[in-house]
Structure formats: C-alpha cells, structure tokens
C-alpha cells in the first residue's frame, strides 16, 4: 500500500537515499528541512508516517516531536526518529519526546524497507509481496 511520508531532514544525502528507497516502494515522500517546516507540513498534510532527523537547525528533533504530538490529527501518527549509531542516548530521548521508535543512522538500504514497515499504521497493510 502506498503511504504518504513526511521526512524532516536537513542533510541532502540522507534525504535522497531514504526517499529513493521509499519511492521505489511506491510511497510518496515530502521533505521538510527543519522542525518548524516539518510541523507546518504535518499540520497541513497529515502524513501516514513521519521520519524525523534529530540534529536539525532551528529546533532539534526532540522539540519537533513534542510539538508534533500536540497537533490534532498528528498526535497518533507514527514518528520514527533517525538517530546516530554513536549516540545511544538519542534513542531514549527520542522516545521520551513522543517518537514511536527509532532507526539508526547511517541507514542500511538492505534492511530499511523492513524496518520502516513495522511503523506503518496497523490495519492497512496489504501484507505479503516484496
Ligand atoms: Mn541533521
């Protein structure tokens, strides 16, 4: 099933890699380059899932997650933090800020598709395939 994904990411390389993988699966990816823009887009577009970088300009990923959770219609949307492998504390902080889960960066293109599937809203998966 095709999903609408919002990816809040300031780094071009990360964005291109992840959006390439997701587009290849048929998903639509919208980009925000900072937390404020991400909050605006989430409010307007109600994505199925939000991918959230932690190290962002303007406001960091934790602050962004906390604000996203206050938006009606986004409060229950899965938010997956992309956390640095080296920064173990990022994960706990991301969950505390309201993220549903996290995926370590650098992402592994071979496993990313499977990892992300775990976070799509329940009850809409088409199952099988792939
Ligand atoms: Mn970043």
């Amino acid at each position: 099933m095709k999903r609408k994904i919002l990816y809040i990411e300031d780094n071009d390389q990360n964005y291109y890699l992840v959006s390439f993988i997701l587009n290849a699966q048929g998903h639509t990816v919208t980009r925000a380059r900072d937390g404020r823009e991400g909050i605006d887009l989430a409010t307007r577009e109600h994505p199925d899932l939000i991918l959230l970088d932690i190290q962002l300009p303007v406001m960091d990923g934790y602050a962004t997650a906390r604000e996203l959770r206050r938006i009606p219609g986004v409060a229950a949307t899965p938010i997956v933090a992309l956390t640095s492998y080296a920064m173990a504390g990022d994960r706990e902080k991301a969950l505390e800020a309201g993220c549903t889960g996290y995926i370590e960066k650098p992402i592994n293109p071979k496993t990313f598709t499977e990892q992300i599937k775990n976070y799509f809203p329940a009850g809409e998966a088409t199952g099988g395939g792939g």
Side-chain angles (χ1 to χ4, degrees):
M1 176 172 197
K2 293 180 183 179
R3 311 288 187 153
K4 191 165 69 173
I5 297 161
L6 170 63
Y7 185 14
I8 307 173
E9 172 66 77
D10 61 322
N11 180 282
D12 288 341
Q13 277 187 305
N14 291 343
Y15 176 76
Y16 294 138
L17 176 59
V18 167
S19 64
F20 178 84
I21 294 167
L22 293 172
N23 286 335
Q25 304 291 317
H27 305 306
T28 302
V29 186
T30 304
R31 181 184 187 182
R33 286 179 166 77
D34 62 58
R36 180 55 55 200
E37 190 184 353
I39 289 161
D40 290 345
L41 281 171
T43 304
R44 285 207 304 270
E45 301 194 357
H46 292 169
D48 298 312
L49 181 138
I50 298 170
L51 286 172
L52 177 63
D53 181 29
I54 294 298
Q55 292 183 303
L56 290 167
V58 183
M59 57 196 292
D60 67 22
Y62 311 120
T64 304
R66 283 191 286 269
E67 285 216 25
L68 286 168
R69 285 297 180 227
R70 292 190 197 110
I71 303 167
V74 182
T77 303
I79 301 174
V80 180
L82 298 183
T83 62
S84 303
Y85 176 73
M87 301 284 282
D90 281 2
R91 297 160 213 158
E92 292 306 315
K93 283 197 269 183
L95 298 178
E96 283 167 15
C99 293
T100 312
Y102 56 82
I103 293 174
E104 284 175 358
K105 286 202 292 192
I107 67 139
N108 181 342
K110 291 176 182 165
T111 57
F112 183 77
T113 302
E114 282 301 315
Q115 289 176 297
I116 205 77
K117 267 186 200 167
N118 296 326
Y119 296 107
F120 287 131
E124 296 174 53
T126 51

